[in-house]
Amino acid sequence: MTATVPTTAALALGDDALVLSHRLGEWAGHAPVLEEEVALANIALDLLGQARVLLSMTGDEDELAYLREERAFRNLQLTEQPNGDFAHTIARQLYFSTYQHLLYSELASREGPFQPLAAKAVKEVAYHRDHAEQWTVRLGDGTDLSHDRMSRACDALWRFTGEMFQPVPGLDVDWAALEASWLRSVTEVLGRATLTVPEGPRTGAWAAGAGRQGLHTESFGRMIAEMQHLHRSHPGASW
């Protein structure tokens, strides 16, 4: 018997992957070194593949990606944050890929509608996480300038990390345990990078994060306008 797909959860996970894929795709032609251009493009493609599977669980993947309005997206606000300088991209990747790897490992270990996707994707996400950890250590334990930039990037995005552990209907996960594992892992990586764990709030009035409720940051509107421009300008077009 086919398991019923929890629509809310499929949209949340699918939108996370879709939006972050687009953000990483913005590095095409702008990465600091050619090897990194390829690496970021590959990560973006992995995420796009995950998004296609997840969005197809709930409807037409093209309509969901290109014809929804801003308030209908359910991605984490962290994933929509602008690339900033390279350190900001790496800090975003460290926070998100650590979360996604822990979550997908959990989903892959049990029966359910997301088990097949998670079992495949967790191998890809393990690479994303390793890539982010290596760059975090390289930049944090590098020059005074790279250390300072990495430190400021980690601080700036810290307030978006609490949202990752808000329960999502349809995902039967021990969110408190997941968050504890995430904190241990991120703390260990930042320690190796000679970086200090940010002290700012991750929850409450001074934190950010209502993407799961359809509330997004200012830059998100511009991002989806660009992402949806071609499809909306030429409806029904094909190559």
Side-chain angles (χ1 to χ4, degrees):
M1 184 174 68
T2 302
T4 302
V5 175
T7 301
T8 301
L11 278 180
L13 299 182
D15 285 349
D16 284 348
L18 175 69
V19 170
L20 187 54
S21 171
H22 187 85
R23 279 297 189 211
L24 291 173
E26 292 174 349
W27 274 107
H30 302 283
V33 293
L34 188 59
E35 183 180 5
E36 195 53 23
E37 179 114 354
V38 175
L40 293 175
N42 283 332
I43 294 172
L45 286 173
D46 287 342
L47 291 169
L48 186 61
Q50 295 166 20
R52 292 191 63 187
V53 174
L54 288 158
L55 295 181
S56 295
M57 287 179 171
T58 64
D60 184 281
E61 63 186 44
D62 288 328
E63 289 188 9
L64 289 168
Y66 297 124
L67 296 179
R68 274 185 296 163
E69 301 295 333
E70 177 179 335
R71 293 289 294 268
F73 279 81
R74 292 294 180 266
N75 57 282
L76 296 163
Q77 287 188 354
L78 175 67
T79 63
E80 71 196 41
Q81 293 310 299
N83 288 326
D85 67 16
F86 189 63
H88 276 77
T89 293
I90 292 303
R92 190 183 62 201
Q93 285 300 110
L94 174 68
Y95 292 161
F96 181 78
S97 63
T98 302
Y99 152 79
Q100 195 185 33
H101 188 234
L102 291 168
L103 176 61
Y104 278 19
S105 297
E106 181 73 18
L107 296 176
S109 69
R110 64 176 71 173
E111 294 292 329
F114 300 113
Q115 196 276 338
L117 165 79
K120 179 178 182 296
V122 74
K123 300 169 188 172
E124 301 169 344
V125 177
Y127 164 73
H128 304 173
R129 179 177 178 173
D130 183 62
H131 173 269
E133 290 182 358
Q134 288 191 37
W135 268 108
T136 298
V137 173
R138 185 174 175 181
L139 295 175
D141 197 23
T143 66
D144 289 345
L145 178 60
S146 70
H147 177 91
D148 181 55
R149 284 189 172 187
M150 196 65 217
S151 179
R152 284 189 279 115
C154 290
D155 288 346
L157 294 174
W158 189 247
R159 69 193 186 98
F160 292 97
T161 60
E163 186 186 9
M164 295 189 289
F165 307 100
Q166 295 174 6
V168 176
L171 290 180
D172 183 20
V173 174
D174 185 341
W175 295 99
L178 196 75
E179 184 170 19
S181 296
W182 182 88
L183 277 171
R184 280 196 300 272
S185 178
V186 169
T187 298
E188 189 273 331
V189 175
L190 294 180
R192 281 194 283 130
T194 70
L195 295 165
T196 303
V197 177
E199 295 180 348
R202 298 178 52 248
T203 60
W206 295 103
R212 296 291 194 226
Q213 290 76 49
L215 300 178
H216 298 282
T217 52
E218 182 179 354
S219 63
F220 184 62
R222 294 192 294 274
M223 195 211 86
I224 65 167
E226 179 181 331
M227 185 178 79
Q228 297 179 337
H229 170 71
L230 185 63
H231 188 89
R232 288 182 180 274
S233 299
H234 304 279
S238 60
W239 293 102

